[in-house]
Amino acid sequence: MRTLNEDLIYEILAVVDEIPKGKVVSYGRIAKLIGRPQNARLIGRVLSMADHFGDYPCHRVVNAQGRLVPGWNNQRTLLEMENITFDGRGYVNMKMHLWDGDM
DNA sequence: AGACTGACGATCC
DNA sequence: GGGATCGCCAGTC
């Protein structure tokens, strides 16, 4: 049986791949979708190695504050290309771009 | 087995 | 709205 980790990766990447262009999702939102509402940190962990599994729009995943990935300054540029807008501090406008999820 | 860490979230101030 | 603290879960040392 696959380790919990492998199953987790599959589910997370599936959700990430479903994120429409011009939208962003918080880690907590994905965590809830995969059935681990309190494991939002796992999303980031998996996404960090998502590139090893394939090409996924991990740049569309931000935290609940709308903050981008620390150390990945280029993420903002990628999001701007997707018509994502930012507020004065460089945070994503969650109110406007937060993906509905499974709605 | 135990302790620390982290692409987080919610709460409190 | 922003900064600080606690809580969760899994991975890593």
Side-chain angles (χ1 to χ4, degrees):
Chain A
M1 78 174 162
R2 285 77 196 107
T3 50
L4 179 64
N5 157 318
E6 269 188 61
D7 201 44
L8 213 52
I9 294 171
Y10 185 80
E11 295 181 76
I12 294 172
L13 264 47
V15 175
V16 174
D17 193 47
E18 291 297 303
I19 305 174
K21 181 178 164 213
K23 290 280 188 179
V24 295
V25 187
S26 63
Y27 299 98
R29 189 64 59 116
I30 297 175
K32 198 166 289 197
L33 287 173
I34 67 171
R36 302 237 170 3
Q38 313 195 291
N39 234 19
R41 321 178 73 147
L42 270 287
I43 311 301
R45 186 173 299 278
V46 172
L47 259 50
S48 65
M49 53 172 163
D51 62 310
H52 180 77
F53 287 81
D55 190 60
Y56 287 92
C58 38
H59 60 269
R60 291 180 190 155
V61 184
V62 299
N63 65 23
Q65 307 169 78
R67 189 78 178 79
L68 300 180
V69 178
W72 191 16
N73 201 28
N74 197 41
Q75 182 180 17
R76 176 167 181 168
T77 306
L78 291 171
L79 291 172
E80 288 182 318
M81 287 192 293
E82 306 276 316
N83 294 316
I84 302 292
T85 57
F86 295 79
D87 62 7
R89 302 161 317 207
Y91 289 10
V92 177
N93 272 325
M94 303 297 283
K95 304 282 276 192
M96 192 150 66
H97 302 293
L98 184 58
W99 184 37
D100 309 287
D102 193 89
M103 162 191 152

